Amino acid sequence: MTNLDDPTGKTYILIDDLVDAMQTKEERIKYRDSQVTVSRVSNDGSRMAIVRTTSDIEEGDEKHILEVYDLNSGKKSPS
């Protein structure tokens, strides 16, 4: 995503950093080793859906968690 604070439009915001900024401290700790992929951004740019992939190596388990963030409020939308 383009960093709108840069008037040249040549710098970007890392999705992981954006999501981290909108998470609670507990969520950041819980999901620190997860992989985040942007699934979709709404047409008006106000919401972003991500897929968070977590892995439990010991159990060979992989989970995919869908989260939607309201970019206007900077918070995760309730499930």
Side-chain angles (χ1 to χ4, degrees), residues 2 21-22 25 29 46 51-52 54 58 61 67 73-74 76:
T2 302
M22 292 186 282
K25 181 179 178 181
I29 292 168
S46 66
V51 175
R52 182 181 299 283
T54 61
E58 292 176 7
D61 189 25
E67 299 175 333
S73 70
K76 185 165 60 170

Side-chain angles (χ1 to χ4, degrees), residues 9-76:
K10 294 181 180 179
T11 60
Y12 300 94
I13 298 171
L14 296 174
I15 295 301
D16 289 341
D17 293 343
L18 180 61
V19 172
D20 280 350
M22 292 186 282
Q23 288 182 316
T24 65
K25 181 179 178 181
E26 292 79 17
E27 288 172 323
R28 280 193 297 277
I29 292 168
K30 181 177 180 179
Y31 297 124
R32 71 175 159 246
D33 294 325
S34 66
Q35 178 181 351
V36 174
T37 306
V38 175
S39 175
R40 180 170 287 175
V41 176
S42 63
N43 288 339
D44 66 359
S46 66
R47 295 185 310 162
M48 175 179 65
I50 66 156
V51 175
R52 182 181 299 283
T53 304
T54 61
S55 299
D56 186 335
I57 295 172
E58 292 176 7
E59 295 188 22
D61 189 25
E62 186 173 270
K63 295 180 184 175
H64 302 282
I65 303 164
L66 177 66
E67 299 175 333
V68 177
Y69 288 88
D70 181 328
L71 299 177
N72 289 324
S73 70
K75 296 185 181 182
K76 185 165 60 170

